Amino acid sequence: MPNLIKVPVRGADSEARVIDHQWARLDKAASAELLTTQISDALKTAYGVLVHWEDALTAGLDRDQLQHDLGLTADNFGIWFDSDDEVERLGERCQQFPLIALHFPKFVDGRSYSSAYLLRQRFGFTGELRAVGDVLVDQLFYMRRCGFDAFELRADKLVEDALNALNAFSVKYQGSIDRAEPLFRVADRPAANI
């Protein structure tokens, strides 16, 4: 499985680390039965599964039955959204999941930035928020500012370049998830505290 870059939502960029990716992202399922089969197959080689959010909430999945039959737990069952899905439909139920992945189908599609911000800011999601799909090195700094704390890079990108990109800028002017206070509010503070 590919490597994954993880960083704390708030904190020093030097805390970024590369870990083994241990979750399987499943395609949208046509039925609950098919999804159960996909989950069972995925758990043979992966720690956890990411299912499309609609499958997780509306396909008639019996999570208690899945836990009993497949060993699925609250810790290894996450969801993912396409860029055109509305995270508002999930709302505060996002807290039920340890991991939410937001898909970038193309690097020019920025809708998942907004979804990440909404999940963190409006709905208070505190679990892992992962960028998946066409994730490029030059996007990581901005993705982190919106609330992403895990990045599954496109296969042709170098992890070393990605780690360096997280430190691309030393000062952040606008307030965001990683620093709520904008720079102009801290202008009177010593430069070392900015």
Side-chain angles (χ1 to χ4, degrees):
M1 293 191 172
N3 288 328
L4 181 75
I5 297 174
K6 292 191 71 161
V7 295
V9 175
R10 291 180 171 87
D13 293 328
S14 61
E15 296 178 40
R17 62 192 193 282
V18 179
I19 64 168
D20 288 332
H21 170 62
Q22 301 172 346
W23 289 69
R25 184 164 50 97
L26 306 179
D27 293 330
K28 293 179 187 178
S31 67
E33 294 79 23
L34 177 60
L35 184 60
T36 301
T37 301
Q38 290 176 332
I39 291 170
S40 176
D41 291 344
L43 288 175
K44 292 175 185 172
T45 58
Y47 165 75
V49 294
L50 290 165
V51 301
H52 189 265
W53 77 276
E54 287 178 328
D55 290 340
L57 299 178
T58 62
L61 281 182
D62 183 344
R63 286 175 71 177
D64 291 335
Q65 189 67 38
L66 290 173
Q67 287 176 352
H68 180 268
D69 294 348
L70 305 176
L72 194 65
T73 68
D75 293 333
N76 65 355
F77 184 73
I79 58 174
W80 66 274
F81 286 87
D82 259 327
S83 63
D84 60 347
D85 292 329
E86 297 176 5
V87 297
E88 296 92 332
R89 293 184 57 199
L90 179 66
E92 293 180 1
R93 292 179 292 175
C94 65
Q95 300 298 342
Q96 299 173 14
F97 303 98
L99 187 151
I100 296 177
L102 300 176
H103 185 249
F104 287 83
K106 295 187 282 187
F107 77 93
V108 296
D109 187 341
R111 293 175 287 181
S112 290
Y113 288 97
S114 299
S115 296
Y117 188 85
L118 286 171
L119 286 166
R120 293 282 191 214
Q121 195 68 19
R122 184 181 297 171
F123 303 118
F125 181 65
T126 57
E128 180 180 317
L129 193 54
R130 183 179 295 183
V132 299
D134 197 12
V135 177
L136 304 179
V137 170
D138 60 346
Q139 298 171 305
L140 300 186
F141 178 84
Y142 304 104
M143 287 177 172
R144 183 170 182 209
R145 300 233 49 225
C146 293
F148 287 100
D149 58 353
F151 313 94
E152 189 178 311
L153 292 178
R154 200 169 77 185
D156 63 333
K157 300 302 167 192
L158 297 175
V159 172
E160 296 79 20
D161 291 343
L163 292 172
N164 290 332
L166 290 169
N167 297 314
F169 301 100
S170 59
V171 177
K172 302 164 187 156
Y173 183 77
Q174 300 89 353
S176 194
I177 298 297
D178 62 344
R179 183 185 182 119
E181 195 171 39
L183 184 62
F184 71 87
R185 296 232 189 254
V186 296
D188 294 332
R189 295 186 192 157
N193 293 332
I194 298 175

